[in-house]
Every structure is written in C-alpha cells, then in structure tokens.
Amino acid sequence: MNLLAAAIAVGLAAIGAGIGNGLIVKSTVEGIARQPQLQGKLQTTMFIGVALVEALPIIAVVIAFIVLGG
C-alpha cells in the first residue's frame, strides 16, 4: 500500500508541476508579446518561478522515499 501511495504522490506532483510550468511560461510569453522591452526582467522572474515549481516534485520524491523506507 505504501508503494501505491508513493507512486500516486509522485505522479500528482509531476502533473501539478507540468501544469504550473505551462502557466508560468504562457504568462511570460504573453507579457513579452505586450511589452518586448521587459523581456529580460520577465525571463528572470519566469526562471525563478519555474525553479520554485520544480521543487515540488523533488520534495514529493524525497517524501516518497521516506515513506517507502520507513
């Protein structure tokens, strides 16, 4: 049962991160299309946001390993 719980947790975290990254990049592209002179600032903010969103699946994998190990 722990194996199934870990697999579901990691899968949902990956789906959530994929959706989050898509929304972040979509908004950045829209912002650059509206104001091209802000491209550098928008891309920097986008990369920070993507990094924070990508932390979620990494944390989920660590928690899954803890659940399976314990």
Side-chain angles (χ1 to χ4, degrees), residues 3-58:
L3 185 63
L4 182 62
I8 290 172
V10 171
L12 289 176
I15 290 171
I19 292 170
N21 283 336
L23 292 173
I24 290 170
V25 173
K26 176 188 81 91
S27 297
T28 302
V29 170
E30 286 177 356
I32 292 171
R34 288 186 184 142
Q35 296 184 349
Q37 68 272 15
L38 293 178
Q39 179 179 359
K41 288 184 180 182
L42 290 173
Q43 280 184 341
T44 302
T45 304
M46 179 193 72
F47 288 134
I48 292 170
V50 166
L52 291 173
V53 169
E54 284 298 322
L56 176 71
I58 295 169

